[in-house]
């Protein structure tokens, strides 16, 4: 049985969350509403007090399922009196549309009005009066993310400023609709600038950044970690199992042969993303083999790496069943020896962040 989960602060905010957060982007696509409610019930019973979602979920993002995950969570709150008060609720406003013409008619910007309108819509779907942590899902400005690794200044364009986005957040906080704010898929520059402008103009200060952090995607270790540490902004680590590649399910059969396929195998759009790169799958197999040599499951190693990192305030786990939730929770408390951590770094030295 997993030991009781402690509570950790998020940035300088008064939010206190468990070091394991239930991610919900599978709800409404891979997970039907009734099963999603059962998973939410089970997470709450197991002591998880932190739920993360987004307006664009379910994933893969589609017109038909935009907002579906928030609606499922809202129905859960409505049918479980008292549940809302037991959880820290985080959601996200989508950045510029990235080819999704159903998000603000495909707008290439994220304005103050966009943020306020999106928050109001999320509140309705979530059936709540306040969002504890409201995050910008990805930057409005030109920045490499979601698998892009090089900044290209020729792609810069006129978009709403960081200060305008902070002004929007200030409006929401003053109205009592949002308690604290965060970022996602951000760069070191972005985090530092959000904090600088907030302090200069007495605007809400970001408490968190939600970025990928996994054995095959550790770019955060090379600069962003220092920024977050020194500015007291907490990391919410997403995709710790690299979309299932670090669970071992694809080690011998590849993406098309798994008995219990995950998102990488089920959706062609996912096969084109960073987690499914041949180099990323190859590196995942090495980490998974390392886990087995040390008497651990691949998932135990990958999760323990995130759970035990000083960089991580809370690790976001995405599951499709209560059994998966239990497995991920059971990895809590697993300690990786200095020798094992050194072996992890030896693999990284040769296979540097292939899923970045």
């Amino acid at each position: 049985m997993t030991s009781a989960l402690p509570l950790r602060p998020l940035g300088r905010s008064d939010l206190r969350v468990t070091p394991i957060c239930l991610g919900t982007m599978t709800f409404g696509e891979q997970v039907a509403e009734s099963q999603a409610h059962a998973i939410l019930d089970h997470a709450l019973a197991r002591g998880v007090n932190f739920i993360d979602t987004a307006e664009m979920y379910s994933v893969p993002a589609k017109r038909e399922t935009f907002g579906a995950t928030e609606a499922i969570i809202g129905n859960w709150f409505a049918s479980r009196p008292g549940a809302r008060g037991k959880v820290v609720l985080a959601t996200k406003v989508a950045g510029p549309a990235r080819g999704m013409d159903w998000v603000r008619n495909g707008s290439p910007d994220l304005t103050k009005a966009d943020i306020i309108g999106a928050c109001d819509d999320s509140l309705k779907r979530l059936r709540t009066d306040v969002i504890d942590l409201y995050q910008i899902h990805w930057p409005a400005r030109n920045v490499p993310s979601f698998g892009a690794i090089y900044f290209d200044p020729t792609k810069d364009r006129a978009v709403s400023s960081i200060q305008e986005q902070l002004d929007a957040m200030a409006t929401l906080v003053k109205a009592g609709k949002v308690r604290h704010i965060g970022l996602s898929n951000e760069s070191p520059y972005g985090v530092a600038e959000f904090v600088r402008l907030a302090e200069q103009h007495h605007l809400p200060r970001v408490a968190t950044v939600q970025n990928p952090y996994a054995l095959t995607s550790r770019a955060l270790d090379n600069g962003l970690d220092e920024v977050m540490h020194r500015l007291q902004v907490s990391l919410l680590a997403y995709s710790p199992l690299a979309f299932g590649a670090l669970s071992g399910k694809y080690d011998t059969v590849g993406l098309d042969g798994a008995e219990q396929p995950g998102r990488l195998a089920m959706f062609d759009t996912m096969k084109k993303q960073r987690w499914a790169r041949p180099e990323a799958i190859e590196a995942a197999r090495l980490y998974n083999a390392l886990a087995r040599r040390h008497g651990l499951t691949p998932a135990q190693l990958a999760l323990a790496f995130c759970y035990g990192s000083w960089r991580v305030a809370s690790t976001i786990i995405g599951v499709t069943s209560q059994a998966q939730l239990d497995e991920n929770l059971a990895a809590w408390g697993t300690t990786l020896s200095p020798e094992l951590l050194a072996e992890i770094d030896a693999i990284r030295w040769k296979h540097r962040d292939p899923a970045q």
Side-chain angles (χ1 to χ4, degrees):
M1 187 71 175
T2 307
S3 58
L5 297 172
L7 295 181
R8 293 174 172 173
L10 293 183
R12 295 183 182 177
S13 77
D14 60 359
L15 299 176
R16 298 293 182 271
V17 303
T18 46
I20 299 173
C21 171
L22 180 63
T24 60
M25 71 181 187
T26 59
F27 294 179
E29 179 64 52
Q30 292 173 261
V31 180
E33 181 160 350
S34 60
Q35 179 62 10
H37 287 186
I39 290 171
L40 288 161
D41 288 339
H42 194 56
L44 197 61
R46 292 295 309 272
V48 175
N49 83 333
F50 194 14
I51 299 171
D52 178 73
T53 188
E55 66 168 345
M56 66 163 277
Y57 293 166
S58 306
V59 168
K62 296 186 294 188
R63 185 187 308 274
E64 299 79 14
T65 56
F66 179 82
T69 302
E70 287 186 328
I72 288 171
I73 295 170
N75 292 340
W76 180 69
F77 285 143
S79 63
R80 308 295 196 275
R84 175 65 186 92
K86 296 178 182 178
V87 300
V88 174
L89 176 64
T91 192
K92 304 184 267 308
V93 53
R98 291 174 51 83
M100 296 177 285
D101 62 6
W102 58 90
V103 180
R104 294 185 293 277
N105 296 315
S107 171
D109 200 358
L110 180 64
T111 67
K112 180 175 181 177
D114 291 336
I115 293 171
I116 293 171
C119 181
D120 287 339
D121 290 343
S122 286
L123 287 167
K124 291 175 185 175
R125 287 189 292 264
L126 290 163
R127 301 212 207 179
T128 186
D129 296 326
V130 62
I131 293 163
D132 298 309
L133 180 67
Y134 196 46
Q135 306 154 97
I136 295 174
H137 207 152
W138 57 87
R141 69 186 192 284
N142 167 37
V143 62
S145 59
F146 297 111
I149 59 175
Y150 297 116
F151 173 69
D152 181 356
T154 66
K155 293 183 179 178
D156 280 356
R157 62 192 185 282
V159 293
S160 301
S161 67
I162 288 174
Q163 185 172 342
E164 178 179 339
Q165 293 163 35
L166 284 170
D167 283 336
M169 293 297 194
T171 298
L172 294 171
V173 171
K174 289 175 184 176
K177 297 177 180 179
V178 167
R179 292 181 61 196
H180 298 284
I181 69 167
L183 305 171
S184 186
N185 299 296
E186 258 297 359
S187 70
Y189 166 81
V191 176
E193 191 69 356
F194 266 93
V195 170
R196 183 186 73 82
L197 289 170
E199 293 180 344
Q200 179 179 342
H201 297 284
H202 306 288
L203 296 167
R205 194 182 198 277
V206 294
T208 59
V209 177
Q210 183 178 149
N211 270 28
Y213 195 61
L215 290 171
T216 53
S217 184
R218 292 172 55 187
L220 181 141
D221 286 346
N222 302 112
L224 183 56
D225 55 353
E226 180 190 4
V227 171
M228 298 178 72
H229 172 71
R230 298 197 185 283
L231 296 181
Q232 295 178 279
V233 177
S234 294
L235 173 63
L236 307 180
Y238 77 73
S239 295
L241 294 179
F243 272 43
L246 290 168
S247 73
K249 68 174 67 178
Y250 305 121
D251 282 2
T252 58
V253 297
L255 297 182
D256 296 318
E259 292 183 8
Q260 296 180 318
R263 282 164 279 175
L264 290 182
M266 294 174 65
F267 305 110
D268 288 340
T269 54
M270 297 294 182
K271 293 177 183 177
K272 299 175 183 178
Q273 295 184 12
R274 52 190 156 162
W275 308 105
R277 289 173 183 154
E279 300 88 349
I281 297 298
E282 177 187 358
R285 289 190 177 110
L286 295 174
Y287 289 115
N288 297 342
L290 176 64
R292 296 182 182 106
R293 288 199 300 273
H294 284 264
L296 301 171
T297 67
Q300 276 181 302
L301 178 69
L303 291 169
F305 177 78
C306 288
Y307 293 167
S309 173
W310 64 265
R311 297 167 178 82
V312 180
S314 191
T315 300
I316 301 172
I317 57 170
V319 303
T320 57
S321 68
Q322 293 180 55
Q324 282 186 349
L325 176 58
D326 283 334
E327 179 184 5
N328 291 354
L329 289 171
W332 175 255
T334 301
T335 300
L336 304 183
S337 69
E339 294 77 16
L340 179 49
L341 290 170
E343 290 187 69
I344 287 172
D345 277 347
I347 294 175
R348 188 189 182 221
W349 191 255
K350 295 180 180 180
H351 302 268
R352 186 64 61 92
D353 302 328
Q356 178 182 343

